[in-house]
């Protein structure tokens, strides 16, 4: 499967992120992009990210929900979780936690005539940075609303917000989108010329996320209507 690569230098800070040594891939450089709109679109469409960090000298990668507010990502967890404790002291004033956060969509299975050239079509984002624990109450509420709305837009306004006890039990990490890149692969198989006559099917099997019909909770009163944001096709 091919890697992504850097594009040309950004036109302006509002249009593209600046490439760095960590965001310029070694292979298939033509597939990398630093376009802000593309990065945000890939992030906004996914549900789960993978958060990588080093614990006791060994790498750890956690799948978790996240939310985006402008050029900032938020992830949450228990106040007792290891990465959230490592990201800040008792008052969130620690040095922060070096992390790498990734998001990937698989858009197609690419079948080639040769085993070597099989691949997938994908869209991905990789973010490097220092995660800090959020301690400001207003920012924390904004982050938690963003996490809820990331899963279902509009849901934070249609649910009870966290109370004081729940806020005290929840920690939030902030990661700025500064050192970030997108990688995208599209198209069919890249077979070798000498393999084109082989009697093996080649092409792309599309992959997409489908949402089923909402299923009401067993204890939901029958007079509670289905919200419009769930009734519309997603």
């Amino acid at each position: 499967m091919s890697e992504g690569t850097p594009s040309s230098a950004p036109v302006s800070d509002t249009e593209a992120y600046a490439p760095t040594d960590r965001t310029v891939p070694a292979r298939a450089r033509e597939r990398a992009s630093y376009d802000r709109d593309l990065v945000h679109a890939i992030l906004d469409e996914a549900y789960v990210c993978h958060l990588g960090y080093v614990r006791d000298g060994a790498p750890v990668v956690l799948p978790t929900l996240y939310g985006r507010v402008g050029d900032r990502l938020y992830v949450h967890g228990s106040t007792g979780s290891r990465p959230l404790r490592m990201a800040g002291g008792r008052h969130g004033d620690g040095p922060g936690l070096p992390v790498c956060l990734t998001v990937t969509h698989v858009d197609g299975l690419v079948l080639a005539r040769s085993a070597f050239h099989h691949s997938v079509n994908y869209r991905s984002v990789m973010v490097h940075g220092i995660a800090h624990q959020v301690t400001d109450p207003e920012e924390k509420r904004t982050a938690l609303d963003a996490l809820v709305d990331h899963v279902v837009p509009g849901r934070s306004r249609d649910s009870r917000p966290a109370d004081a006890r729940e806020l005290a039990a929840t920690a939030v990490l902030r990661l700025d989108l500064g050192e970030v890149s997108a990688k995208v692969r599209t198209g069919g198989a890249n077979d070798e010329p000498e393999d084109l006559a082989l009697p093996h099917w080649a092409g792309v099997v599309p992959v997409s996320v489908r949402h089923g019909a909402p299923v009401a909770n067993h204890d939901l009163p029958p007079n509670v209507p289905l919200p419009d944001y769930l009734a519309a096709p997603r």
Side-chain angles (χ1 to χ4, degrees), residues 82-111:
R82 184 75 66 95
L84 290 156
R85 294 202 315 270
M86 293 170 64
R90 293 181 57 190
H91 305 290
D93 54 357
L97 176 66
V99 300
C100 178
L101 182 147
T102 62
V103 164
T104 303
H105 303 271
V106 175
D107 297 321
L109 310 179
V110 181
L111 308 184

PDB file of all heavy atoms in Angstrom, residues 82-111:
ATOM      1  N   ARG A  82      -4.092   7.040  32.011  1.00  0.00           N
ATOM      2  CA  ARG A  82      -2.662   7.317  31.992  1.00  0.00           C
ATOM      3  C   ARG A  82      -2.287   8.493  31.081  1.00  0.00           C
ATOM      4  O   ARG A  82      -1.570   9.400  31.523  1.00  0.00           O
ATOM      5  CB  ARG A  82      -1.902   6.057  31.577  1.00  0.00           C
ATOM      6  CG  ARG A  82      -0.382   6.190  31.615  1.00  0.00           C
ATOM      7  CD  ARG A  82       0.161   6.170  33.028  1.00  0.00           C
ATOM      8  NE  ARG A  82      -0.059   4.904  33.643  1.00  0.00           N
ATOM      9  CZ  ARG A  82       0.832   3.906  33.666  1.00  0.00           C
ATOM     10  NH1 ARG A  82       1.998   4.049  33.072  1.00  0.00           N
ATOM     11  NH2 ARG A  82       0.567   2.791  34.292  1.00  0.00           N
ATOM     12  N   PRO A  83      -2.742   8.521  29.811  1.00  0.00           N
ATOM     13  CA  PRO A  83      -2.303   9.641  28.960  1.00  0.00           C
ATOM     14  C   PRO A  83      -2.807  10.995  29.446  1.00  0.00           C
ATOM     15  O   PRO A  83      -2.117  12.001  29.317  1.00  0.00           O
ATOM     16  CB  PRO A  83      -2.885   9.285  27.588  1.00  0.00           C
ATOM     17  CG  PRO A  83      -3.979   8.331  27.866  1.00  0.00           C
ATOM     18  CD  PRO A  83      -3.549   7.565  29.065  1.00  0.00           C
ATOM     19  N   LEU A  84      -3.999  11.026  30.026  1.00  0.00           N
ATOM     20  CA  LEU A  84      -4.532  12.294  30.502  1.00  0.00           C
ATOM     21  C   LEU A  84      -3.765  12.776  31.730  1.00  0.00           C
ATOM     22  O   LEU A  84      -3.535  13.974  31.902  1.00  0.00           O
ATOM     23  CB  LEU A  84      -6.027  12.152  30.799  1.00  0.00           C
ATOM     24  CG  LEU A  84      -6.852  11.994  29.525  1.00  0.00           C
ATOM     25  CD1 LEU A  84      -8.158  11.290  29.786  1.00  0.00           C
ATOM     26  CD2 LEU A  84      -7.109  13.347  28.899  1.00  0.00           C
ATOM     27  N   ARG A  85      -3.331  11.857  32.567  1.00  0.00           N
ATOM     28  CA  ARG A  85      -2.499  12.253  33.713  1.00  0.00           C
ATOM     29  C   ARG A  85      -1.130  12.714  33.241  1.00  0.00           C
ATOM     30  O   ARG A  85      -0.555  13.658  33.773  1.00  0.00           O
ATOM     31  CB  ARG A  85      -2.337  11.087  34.695  1.00  0.00           C
ATOM     32  CG  ARG A  85      -3.615  10.663  35.387  1.00  0.00           C
ATOM     33  CD  ARG A  85      -3.329   9.923  36.692  1.00  0.00           C
ATOM     34  NE  ARG A  85      -2.269   8.937  36.572  1.00  0.00           N
ATOM     35  CZ  ARG A  85      -2.481   7.663  36.238  1.00  0.00           C
ATOM     36  NH1 ARG A  85      -3.694   7.245  35.966  1.00  0.00           N
ATOM     37  NH2 ARG A  85      -1.472   6.817  36.167  1.00  0.00           N
ATOM     38  N   MET A  86      -0.587  12.047  32.192  1.00  0.00           N
ATOM     39  CA  MET A  86       0.745  12.399  31.703  1.00  0.00           C
ATOM     40  C   MET A  86       0.757  13.754  31.006  1.00  0.00           C
ATOM     41  O   MET A  86       1.795  14.404  30.917  1.00  0.00           O
ATOM     42  CB  MET A  86       1.240  11.324  30.734  1.00  0.00           C
ATOM     43  CG  MET A  86       1.498   9.969  31.379  1.00  0.00           C
ATOM     44  SD  MET A  86       1.799   8.659  30.154  1.00  0.00           S
ATOM     45  CE  MET A  86       3.317   9.236  29.401  1.00  0.00           C
ATOM     46  N   ALA A  87      -0.402  14.188  30.501  1.00  0.00           N
ATOM     47  CA  ALA A  87      -0.456  15.413  29.707  1.00  0.00           C
ATOM     48  C   ALA A  87      -0.429  16.677  30.553  1.00  0.00           C
ATOM     49  O   ALA A  87      -0.203  17.762  30.025  1.00  0.00           O
ATOM     50  CB  ALA A  87      -1.708  15.421  28.837  1.00  0.00           C
ATOM     51  N   GLY A  88      -0.662  16.569  31.837  1.00  0.00           N
ATOM     52  CA  GLY A  88      -0.659  17.769  32.664  1.00  0.00           C
ATOM     53  C   GLY A  88      -0.599  17.416  34.127  1.00  0.00           C
ATOM     54  O   GLY A  88      -1.001  16.325  34.546  1.00  0.00           O
ATOM     55  N   GLY A  89      -0.120  18.346  34.927  1.00  0.00           N
ATOM     56  CA  GLY A  89      -0.065  18.141  36.367  1.00  0.00           C
ATOM     57  C   GLY A  89      -1.444  18.232  36.973  1.00  0.00           C
ATOM     58  O   GLY A  89      -2.472  18.187  36.288  1.00  0.00           O
ATOM     59  N   ARG A  90      -1.497  18.420  38.256  1.00  0.00           N
ATOM     60  CA  ARG A  90      -2.780  18.489  38.942  1.00  0.00           C
ATOM     61  C   ARG A  90      -3.639  19.618  38.406  1.00  0.00           C
ATOM     62  O   ARG A  90      -4.868  19.550  38.427  1.00  0.00           O
ATOM     63  CB  ARG A  90      -2.562  18.677  40.450  1.00  0.00           C
ATOM     64  CG  ARG A  90      -1.938  17.501  41.153  1.00  0.00           C
ATOM     65  CD  ARG A  90      -1.777  17.775  42.633  1.00  0.00           C
ATOM     66  NE  ARG A  90      -3.069  18.108  43.242  1.00  0.00           N
ATOM     67  CZ  ARG A  90      -3.189  18.573  44.494  1.00  0.00           C
ATOM     68  NH1 ARG A  90      -2.107  18.782  45.224  1.00  0.00           N
ATOM     69  NH2 ARG A  90      -4.372  18.838  44.983  1.00  0.00           N
ATOM     70  N   HIS A  91      -3.019  20.664  37.922  1.00  0.00           N
ATOM     71  CA  HIS A  91      -3.760  21.820  37.439  1.00  0.00           C
ATOM     72  C   HIS A  91      -3.593  22.014  35.932  1.00  0.00           C
ATOM     73  O   HIS A  91      -3.838  23.098  35.413  1.00  0.00           O
ATOM     74  CB  HIS A  91      -3.301  23.070  38.185  1.00  0.00           C
ATOM     75  CG  HIS A  91      -3.397  22.949  39.679  1.00  0.00           C
ATOM     76  ND1 HIS A  91      -4.608  22.916  40.335  1.00  0.00           N
ATOM     77  CD2 HIS A  91      -2.431  22.830  40.635  1.00  0.00           C
ATOM     78  CE1 HIS A  91      -4.386  22.789  41.653  1.00  0.00           C
ATOM     79  NE2 HIS A  91      -3.082  22.729  41.845  1.00  0.00           N
ATOM     80  N   GLY A  92      -3.171  20.960  35.217  1.00  0.00           N
ATOM     81  CA  GLY A  92      -3.014  21.058  33.771  1.00  0.00           C
ATOM     82  C   GLY A  92      -1.846  21.907  33.342  1.00  0.00           C
ATOM     83  O   GLY A  92      -1.776  22.354  32.197  1.00  0.00           O
ATOM     84  N   ASP A  93      -0.898  22.156  34.260  1.00  0.00           N
ATOM     85  CA  ASP A  93       0.218  23.049  33.959  1.00  0.00           C
ATOM     86  C   ASP A  93       1.513  22.288  33.709  1.00  0.00           C
ATOM     87  O   ASP A  93       2.601  22.849  33.790  1.00  0.00           O
ATOM     88  CB  ASP A  93       0.418  24.040  35.106  1.00  0.00           C
ATOM     89  CG  ASP A  93       0.584  23.344  36.457  1.00  0.00           C
ATOM     90  OD1 ASP A  93       0.483  22.097  36.505  1.00  0.00           O
ATOM     91  OD2 ASP A  93       0.793  24.053  37.458  1.00  0.00           O
ATOM     92  N   GLY A  94       1.406  20.991  33.393  1.00  0.00           N
ATOM     93  CA  GLY A  94       2.590  20.198  33.127  1.00  0.00           C
ATOM     94  C   GLY A  94       3.145  20.474  31.742  1.00  0.00           C
ATOM     95  O   GLY A  94       2.628  21.311  30.991  1.00  0.00           O
ATOM     96  N   PRO A  95       4.216  19.774  31.370  1.00  0.00           N
ATOM     97  CA  PRO A  95       4.871  20.022  30.076  1.00  0.00           C
ATOM     98  C   PRO A  95       4.078  19.515  28.881  1.00  0.00           C
ATOM     99  O   PRO A  95       4.410  19.828  27.742  1.00  0.00           O
ATOM    100  CB  PRO A  95       6.191  19.265  30.207  1.00  0.00           C
ATOM    101  CG  PRO A  95       5.885  18.164  31.177  1.00  0.00           C
ATOM    102  CD  PRO A  95       4.910  18.746  32.158  1.00  0.00           C
ATOM    103  N   GLY A  96       3.049  18.754  29.120  1.00  0.00           N
ATOM    104  CA  GLY A  96       2.278  18.193  28.026  1.00  0.00           C
ATOM    105  C   GLY A  96       2.805  16.835  27.602  1.00  0.00           C
ATOM    106  O   GLY A  96       3.863  16.384  28.044  1.00  0.00           O
ATOM    107  N   LEU A  97       2.055  16.167  26.725  1.00  0.00           N
ATOM    108  CA  LEU A  97       2.372  14.806  26.309  1.00  0.00           C
ATOM    109  C   LEU A  97       2.619  14.770  24.806  1.00  0.00           C
ATOM    110  O   LEU A  97       1.716  15.082  24.020  1.00  0.00           O
ATOM    111  CB  LEU A  97       1.210  13.880  26.663  1.00  0.00           C
ATOM    112  CG  LEU A  97       1.324  12.422  26.220  1.00  0.00           C
ATOM    113  CD1 LEU A  97       2.463  11.731  26.965  1.00  0.00           C
ATOM    114  CD2 LEU A  97       0.004  11.692  26.463  1.00  0.00           C
ATOM    115  N   PRO A  98       3.831  14.419  24.345  1.00  0.00           N
ATOM    116  CA  PRO A  98       4.061  14.268  22.903  1.00  0.00           C
ATOM    117  C   PRO A  98       3.202  13.132  22.356  1.00  0.00           C
ATOM    118  O   PRO A  98       3.231  12.009  22.884  1.00  0.00           O
ATOM    119  CB  PRO A  98       5.553  13.942  22.818  1.00  0.00           C
ATOM    120  CG  PRO A  98       6.135  14.423  24.107  1.00  0.00           C
ATOM    121  CD  PRO A  98       5.062  14.211  25.130  1.00  0.00           C
ATOM    122  N   VAL A  99       2.449  13.408  21.315  1.00  0.00           N
ATOM    123  CA  VAL A  99       1.543  12.414  20.758  1.00  0.00           C
ATOM    124  C   VAL A  99       1.594  12.437  19.233  1.00  0.00           C
ATOM    125  O   VAL A  99       2.076  13.392  18.618  1.00  0.00           O
ATOM    126  CB  VAL A  99       0.080  12.651  21.207  1.00  0.00           C
ATOM    127  CG1 VAL A  99      -0.048  12.576  22.718  1.00  0.00           C
ATOM    128  CG2 VAL A  99      -0.448  13.983  20.677  1.00  0.00           C
ATOM    129  N   CYS A 100       1.071  11.379  18.655  1.00  0.00           N
ATOM    130  CA  CYS A 100       0.798  11.323  17.223  1.00  0.00           C
ATOM    131  C   CYS A 100      -0.630  10.806  17.077  1.00  0.00           C
ATOM    132  O   CYS A 100      -0.963   9.723  17.589  1.00  0.00           O
ATOM    133  CB  CYS A 100       1.779  10.407  16.507  1.00  0.00           C
ATOM    134  SG  CYS A 100       1.467  10.253  14.726  1.00  0.00           S
ATOM    135  N   LEU A 101      -1.482  11.582  16.432  1.00  0.00           N
ATOM    136  CA  LEU A 101      -2.894  11.223  16.276  1.00  0.00           C
ATOM    137  C   LEU A 101      -3.173  10.975  14.800  1.00  0.00           C
ATOM    138  O   LEU A 101      -2.770  11.770  13.944  1.00  0.00           O
ATOM    139  CB  LEU A 101      -3.780  12.344  16.821  1.00  0.00           C
ATOM    140  CG  LEU A 101      -5.288  12.139  16.787  1.00  0.00           C
ATOM    141  CD1 LEU A 101      -5.951  12.824  17.983  1.00  0.00           C
ATOM    142  CD2 LEU A 101      -5.904  12.645  15.490  1.00  0.00           C
ATOM    143  N   THR A 102      -3.865   9.872  14.507  1.00  0.00           N
ATOM    144  CA  THR A 102      -4.163   9.537  13.113  1.00  0.00           C
ATOM    145  C   THR A 102      -5.640   9.212  12.926  1.00  0.00           C
ATOM    146  O   THR A 102      -6.317   8.723  13.841  1.00  0.00           O
ATOM    147  CB  THR A 102      -3.330   8.332  12.633  1.00  0.00           C
ATOM    148  OG1 THR A 102      -3.676   7.179  13.424  1.00  0.00           O
ATOM    149  CG2 THR A 102      -1.850   8.602  12.762  1.00  0.00           C
ATOM    150  N   VAL A 103      -6.116   9.489  11.720  1.00  0.00           N
ATOM    151  CA  VAL A 103      -7.474   9.152  11.293  1.00  0.00           C
ATOM    152  C   VAL A 103      -7.372   8.592   9.883  1.00  0.00           C
ATOM    153  O   VAL A 103      -6.634   9.134   9.053  1.00  0.00           O
ATOM    154  CB  VAL A 103      -8.386  10.400  11.307  1.00  0.00           C
ATOM    155  CG1 VAL A 103      -9.661  10.151  10.516  1.00  0.00           C
ATOM    156  CG2 VAL A 103      -8.723  10.804  12.729  1.00  0.00           C
ATOM    157  N   THR A 104      -8.099   7.513   9.591  1.00  0.00           N
ATOM    158  CA  THR A 104      -8.038   6.898   8.264  1.00  0.00           C
ATOM    159  C   THR A 104      -9.426   6.459   7.804  1.00  0.00           C
ATOM    160  O   THR A 104     -10.190   5.871   8.583  1.00  0.00           O
ATOM    161  CB  THR A 104      -7.115   5.667   8.262  1.00  0.00           C
ATOM    162  OG1 THR A 104      -5.811   6.049   8.706  1.00  0.00           O
ATOM    163  CG2 THR A 104      -7.007   5.060   6.871  1.00  0.00           C
ATOM    164  N   HIS A 105      -9.746   6.764   6.539  1.00  0.00           N
ATOM    165  CA  HIS A 105     -10.924   6.224   5.856  1.00  0.00           C
ATOM    166  C   HIS A 105     -10.448   5.251   4.791  1.00  0.00           C
ATOM    167  O   HIS A 105      -9.523   5.564   4.033  1.00  0.00           O
ATOM    168  CB  HIS A 105     -11.709   7.326   5.139  1.00  0.00           C
ATOM    169  CG  HIS A 105     -12.168   8.437   6.027  1.00  0.00           C
ATOM    170  ND1 HIS A 105     -13.378   8.410   6.694  1.00  0.00           N
ATOM    171  CD2 HIS A 105     -11.587   9.620   6.341  1.00  0.00           C
ATOM    172  CE1 HIS A 105     -13.523   9.536   7.381  1.00  0.00           C
ATOM    173  NE2 HIS A 105     -12.444  10.280   7.191  1.00  0.00           N
ATOM    174  N   VAL A 106     -11.080   4.094   4.704  1.00  0.00           N
ATOM    175  CA  VAL A 106     -10.829   3.170   3.600  1.00  0.00           C
ATOM    176  C   VAL A 106     -11.959   3.338   2.596  1.00  0.00           C
ATOM    177  O   VAL A 106     -13.131   3.118   2.921  1.00  0.00           O
ATOM    178  CB  VAL A 106     -10.750   1.708   4.086  1.00  0.00           C
ATOM    179  CG1 VAL A 106     -10.617   0.757   2.900  1.00  0.00           C
ATOM    180  CG2 VAL A 106      -9.578   1.532   5.037  1.00  0.00           C
ATOM    181  N   ASP A 107     -11.640   3.767   1.387  1.00  0.00           N
ATOM    182  CA  ASP A 107     -12.642   4.061   0.365  1.00  0.00           C
ATOM    183  C   ASP A 107     -12.773   2.980  -0.696  1.00  0.00           C
ATOM    184  O   ASP A 107     -13.745   2.970  -1.453  1.00  0.00           O
ATOM    185  CB  ASP A 107     -12.302   5.381  -0.329  1.00  0.00           C
ATOM    186  CG  ASP A 107     -12.343   6.562   0.638  1.00  0.00           C
ATOM    187  OD1 ASP A 107     -13.240   6.582   1.501  1.00  0.00           O
ATOM    188  OD2 ASP A 107     -11.476   7.453   0.524  1.00  0.00           O
ATOM    189  N   GLY A 108     -11.808   2.078  -0.779  1.00  0.00           N
ATOM    190  CA  GLY A 108     -11.896   1.028  -1.789  1.00  0.00           C
ATOM    191  C   GLY A 108     -10.803  -0.004  -1.625  1.00  0.00           C
ATOM    192  O   GLY A 108      -9.715   0.300  -1.122  1.00  0.00           O
ATOM    193  N   LEU A 109     -11.106  -1.235  -2.045  1.00  0.00           N
ATOM    194  CA  LEU A 109     -10.122  -2.321  -2.073  1.00  0.00           C
ATOM    195  C   LEU A 109      -9.590  -2.407  -3.494  1.00  0.00           C
ATOM    196  O   LEU A 109     -10.352  -2.624  -4.444  1.00  0.00           O
ATOM    197  CB  LEU A 109     -10.763  -3.641  -1.667  1.00  0.00           C
ATOM    198  CG  LEU A 109     -11.593  -3.624  -0.366  1.00  0.00           C
ATOM    199  CD1 LEU A 109     -12.190  -5.004  -0.114  1.00  0.00           C
ATOM    200  CD2 LEU A 109     -10.750  -3.163   0.812  1.00  0.00           C
ATOM    201  N   VAL A 110      -8.300  -2.228  -3.645  1.00  0.00           N
ATOM    202  CA  VAL A 110      -7.687  -2.190  -4.974  1.00  0.00           C
ATOM    203  C   VAL A 110      -7.079  -3.559  -5.276  1.00  0.00           C
ATOM    204  O   VAL A 110      -6.108  -3.975  -4.626  1.00  0.00           O
ATOM    205  CB  VAL A 110      -6.608  -1.090  -5.053  1.00  0.00           C
ATOM    206  CG1 VAL A 110      -6.001  -1.048  -6.453  1.00  0.00           C
ATOM    207  CG2 VAL A 110      -7.211   0.267  -4.685  1.00  0.00           C
ATOM    208  N   LEU A 111      -7.662  -4.252  -6.242  1.00  0.00           N
ATOM    209  CA  LEU A 111      -7.215  -5.595  -6.600  1.00  0.00           C
ATOM    210  C   LEU A 111      -6.414  -5.528  -7.899  1.00  0.00           C
ATOM    211  O   LEU A 111      -6.923  -5.041  -8.923  1.00  0.00           O
ATOM    212  CB  LEU A 111      -8.404  -6.538  -6.774  1.00  0.00           C
ATOM    213  CG  LEU A 111      -9.403  -6.586  -5.606  1.00  0.00           C
ATOM    214  CD1 LEU A 111     -10.463  -7.638  -5.870  1.00  0.00           C
ATOM    215  CD2 LEU A 111      -8.687  -6.852  -4.293  1.00  0.00           C
TER     216      LEU A 111
END
